[in-house]
Amino acid sequence: ITLRVRQTGGRLSLQYKRRLDTGDIFRVSEEVSLSLERLCAAIRLPDKLFPCHDAAGRDEEPPACVLQGALTTWRRSYLLKGGITVELDRSSYLGVYDCEIEVEFPDGKENEAKQLTARLGLRMTPCSKEGKAERFFKLKKRVDACSITVREQ
């Protein structure tokens, strides 16, 4: 599950994204977006999105989600015929630049999307199934685990 705050212009939205296992090379996601007034270090989620229960089955308040860092993406989107979208993303987080090509398509357009990726010379590899959020948290884990001492020169 990815939970993120997206800023578009002056608007903030809280987005919940859960990948569904389809057994195919393509990823399918369930997404929910809620308006957000301001950014805070901790955000409590609505119970209907994340129902929480104790061991006896009683309702509990969901834990707060805590800000983990910032990821900035610059995106170019191209809408093609049939509702297929190609998005070229360049992201920056934790001192690295990250590039990604996303091909998004509506239900029933899987074959057209596969043909397009083949025409563009794109290959799906195990590494490419890792999204920006997974790459961010993998790097964050390494950054959190290391320390350095800076000496005066």
Side-chain angles (χ1 to χ4, degrees):
I1 293 175
T2 299
L3 186 67
R4 65 183 175 205
V5 175
R6 174 166 273 171
Q7 180 176 355
T8 306
R11 288 187 12 206
L12 295 174
S13 60
L14 179 68
Q15 297 181 328
Y16 159 88
K17 185 175 182 178
R18 182 173 64 101
R19 292 219 175 100
L20 306 175
D21 186 15
T22 62
D24 197 352
I25 62 168
F26 295 111
R27 292 186 300 207
V28 176
S29 296
E30 169 190 33
E31 298 183 25
V32 176
S33 185
L34 305 167
S35 181
L36 197 62
E37 293 176 27
R38 65 183 182 277
L39 183 61
C40 296
I43 298 173
R44 292 218 179 267
L45 301 172
D47 188 47
K48 67 180 181 181
L49 262 187
F50 292 93
C52 291
H53 309 287
D54 65 14
R58 294 182 297 259
D59 289 344
E60 289 186 331
E61 187 171 310
C65 295
V66 179
L67 182 65
Q68 298 294 308
L71 183 151
T72 303
T73 299
W74 294 269
R75 173 173 284 169
R76 296 292 297 247
S77 293
Y78 300 93
L79 179 61
L80 308 178
K81 65 180 180 180
I84 296 174
T85 304
V86 176
E87 295 176 336
L88 308 176
D89 290 353
R90 188 180 78 194
S91 299
S92 171
Y93 54 89
L94 302 173
V96 300
Y97 277 99
D98 180 295
C99 297
E100 177 177 74
I101 299 173
E102 294 181 13
V103 177
E104 297 186 356
F105 55 92
D107 286 340
K109 296 292 181 175
E110 184 175 325
N111 286 334
E112 290 91 331
K114 284 181 180 179
Q115 291 169 5
L116 174 64
T117 57
R119 277 197 318 267
L120 294 174
L122 304 175
R123 290 181 301 125
M124 290 289 291
T125 63
C127 180
S128 69
K129 287 190 173 188
E130 200 174 72
K132 284 186 283 283
E134 289 90 354
R135 292 190 300 273
F136 171 88
F137 282 110
K138 184 186 273 185
L139 180 57
K140 184 179 185 316
K141 190 174 185 178
R142 288 198 324 257
V143 168
D144 288 347
C146 88
S147 66
I148 60 171
T149 302
V150 177
R151 293 180 173 79
E152 287 186 50
Q153 304 224 353

